[in-house]
Amino acid sequence: MSNAVILDGKAVAGRVRAEVKERAAEFARTRGRAPGLAVVKVGEDPASAVYVRNKRLACEEAGIQSFAFDLPHSISRQDLRAQINGLNLDPAVDGILVQLPLPAALDANEIMDLVDPAKDVDGFHPYNTGLLAQKRPCLRPCTPYGVIRLAQEYGIALHGLRATVVGASNIVGRPMALELMLAGATVTVCHTRTRDVQAEVQRADVVVAAVGKPGMVRGEWIRPGAAVFDVGINRTEAGRLVGDVDYAAAAERAAWITPVPGGIGPMTIAMLLSNTLDAATARN
């Protein structure tokens, strides 16, 4: 029988979105226009299409104007660069989101680096990552920021805890480690060269799993009383969505755990909207 508190990302995201809606209304009253988010999608990746649709709907509900740029798979590097540069200069656009993955012919790093750091609402630009590393966060990567906000909402004090992040991607793992250090945790990051992932997870008070492998973090690895944040979203052959953590077994040992779906996913979109308002306010 599970005693873990289920961290309801959907409910907390709802509160964040309500805050954003209020801030967006205030912004529109004082500036005479809604905050604007440009969402750039290249090609026809089906998962990207779903994510982009959800982001645009979330903008609409929050009172943020969404500018849609659905570009063909065959777009040239020069044309995409010109599109991004145009959005950087557009005064109605406060945030720019380039949906990943990009087609293989395009260098994602090059394109992401083109985005004006002041409009980088994904928080992926090296400038914003650097500020986070220097303990001066500005626009923060949405998923790690969502984990921190969820922990705060449930009163999980991260200060002094031992945290293990499983996964070292630029999008989640690395910035997650920086966020946890900023919150005062002692952090270990597991990656493909880590000798004993199980041992690193077993000693952690906080586990963040972000590898994209269903059930990779076993329930018996979880230290009793730990907080478990599962960032993975994987579809099984049966079509079910599952995380990177063996949920049922982990929930028997953890004190707090996020479900999949309904945990970190809704928080990511909520923090994107929050970042858009932060960018709009700072720019204006």
Side-chain angles (χ1 to χ4, degrees), residues 143 165-169 172-173 176 208-213 217 229-232 244:
T143 298
V165 180
V166 185
S169 73
V172 181
M176 188 73 250
V208 182
V211 278
K213 289 185 183 170
V217 176
F229 297 90
D230 192 348
V231 177
D244 291 347

Side-chain angles (χ1 to χ4, degrees), residues 239-260:
R240 204 162 61 87
L241 284 179
V242 297
D244 291 347
V245 177
D246 176 7
Y247 180 85
E252 288 179 16
R253 299 169 67 85
W256 299 273
I257 192 167
T258 58
V260 176

